């Protein structure tokens, strides 16, 4: 594994801590050290080194809470000093799992305006108190979302400058075990 490729694909926390890629080219980050476990605490906010580009993927592994309500995973543009100013940044992709409705919604926000939520899915893939693996594959025209190895849906880019998509935020009824 080349150090340069490890460096450009790493996700950093807002404190700009560098997380070492401990699984070779898989892109996963293992929380086997106490400081890394602390870093993966929800709510989580981290920087995507170099932003998104075709061929890049983000993997989120974790465990759904025993009595979940919802969780959100957002890929956003820019870094902001204020904690709750998501309305000031473009959101390239927001994935929202809603357990009561058994929906996995997705949308985007450009210049403060949210796109219409896309809702159709063939099945709801999340089970309370069970592990999951979400992969967000970036392609030229879309994000392709996989859950536990199964392609669930595509989301066509609303934000056209992929390198500007350089932050990930995760909140809600889940624990993160690996992120890369």
């Amino acid at each position: 594994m080349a150090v340069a490729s490890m460096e450009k694909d790493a996700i950093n926390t807002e404190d700009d801590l560098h997380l070492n890629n401990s699984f070779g080219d898989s892109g996963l980050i293992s929380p086997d050290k106490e400081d890394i476990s602390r870093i993966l605490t929800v709510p989580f906010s981290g920087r995507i080194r170099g932003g998104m580009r075709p061929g890049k993927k983000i993997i989120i592994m974790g465990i759904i809470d025993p009595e979940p309500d919802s969780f959100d995973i957002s890929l956003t543009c820019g870094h902001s000093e204020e904690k709750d100013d998501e309305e000031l940044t473009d959101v390239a992709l927001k994935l929202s799992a809603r357990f009561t409705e058994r929906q996995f919604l997705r949308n985007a926000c450009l210049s403060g305006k949210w796109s219409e939520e896309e809702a159709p899915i063939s099945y709801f893939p999340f089970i309370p108190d069970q592990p999951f693996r979400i992969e967000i594959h970036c392609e030229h025209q879309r994000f392709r979302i996989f859950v536990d190895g199964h392609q669930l849906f595509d989301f066509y880019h609303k934000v056209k400058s992929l390198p500007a998509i350089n932050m990930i935020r995760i909140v809600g009824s889940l624990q993160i075990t690996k992120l890369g």
Side-chain angles (χ1 to χ4, degrees):
M1 167 177 66
V3 174
S5 72
M6 180 178 67
E7 187 116 354
K8 71 180 178 188
D9 287 340
I11 294 176
N12 289 347
T13 67
E14 289 193 318
D15 295 330
D16 223 17
L17 297 171
H18 181 72
L19 303 180
N20 290 322
N21 182 336
S22 60
F23 286 100
D25 291 331
S26 70
L28 296 179
I29 298 161
S30 174
D32 55 4
K33 295 182 182 147
E34 188 178 325
D35 61 333
I36 301 228
S37 294
R38 180 185 57 77
I39 290 167
L40 295 179
T41 300
V42 175
F44 174 86
S45 186
R47 191 169 291 124
I48 302 167
R49 275 240 209 244
M52 296 302 289
R53 66 180 180 285
K56 189 167 192 169
K57 70 180 169 182
I58 293 178
I59 299 171
I60 303 124
M61 295 177 70
I63 301 169
I64 303 297
D65 287 351
E67 295 180 19
D69 177 35
S70 65
F71 69 82
D72 296 335
I73 298 170
S74 299
L75 300 183
T76 65
C77 300
H79 174 67
S80 173
E81 299 305 317
E82 301 295 318
K83 287 286 183 203
D84 295 318
D85 65 347
E86 189 174 287
E87 67 274 1
L88 301 179
T89 59
D90 285 343
V91 179
L93 172 65
K94 182 175 183 178
L95 301 174
S96 300
R98 302 289 177 255
F99 286 83
T100 305
E101 300 90 4
R102 296 183 57 78
Q103 290 189 321
F104 197 26
L105 308 171
R106 54 261 180 216
N107 63 357
C109 181
L110 287 154
S111 303
K113 294 185 180 175
W114 285 96
S115 65
E116 191 172 326
E117 281 185 327
E118 298 176 17
I121 51 173
S122 53
Y123 67 99
F124 186 73
F126 303 106
I127 301 168
D129 208 25
Q130 293 297 308
F132 66 89
R133 175 186 173 113
I134 297 172
E135 295 182 30
I136 303 170
H137 294 229
C138 184
E139 297 182 354
H140 287 281
Q141 296 184 9
R142 65 188 168 206
F143 290 112
R144 186 158 269 184
I145 292 34
F146 294 79
V147 177
D148 297 329
H150 301 284
Q151 183 184 338
L152 202 57
F153 50 77
D154 291 342
F155 185 82
Y156 285 86
H157 296 307
K158 312 293 190 267
V159 172
K160 300 304 181 191
S161 174
L162 299 179
I165 305 167
N166 62 0
M167 295 292 295
I168 182 169
R169 295 180 183 180
I170 303 171
V171 298
S173 307
L174 75 162
Q175 300 167 40
I176 305 168
T177 56
K178 293 182 179 131
L179 180 61

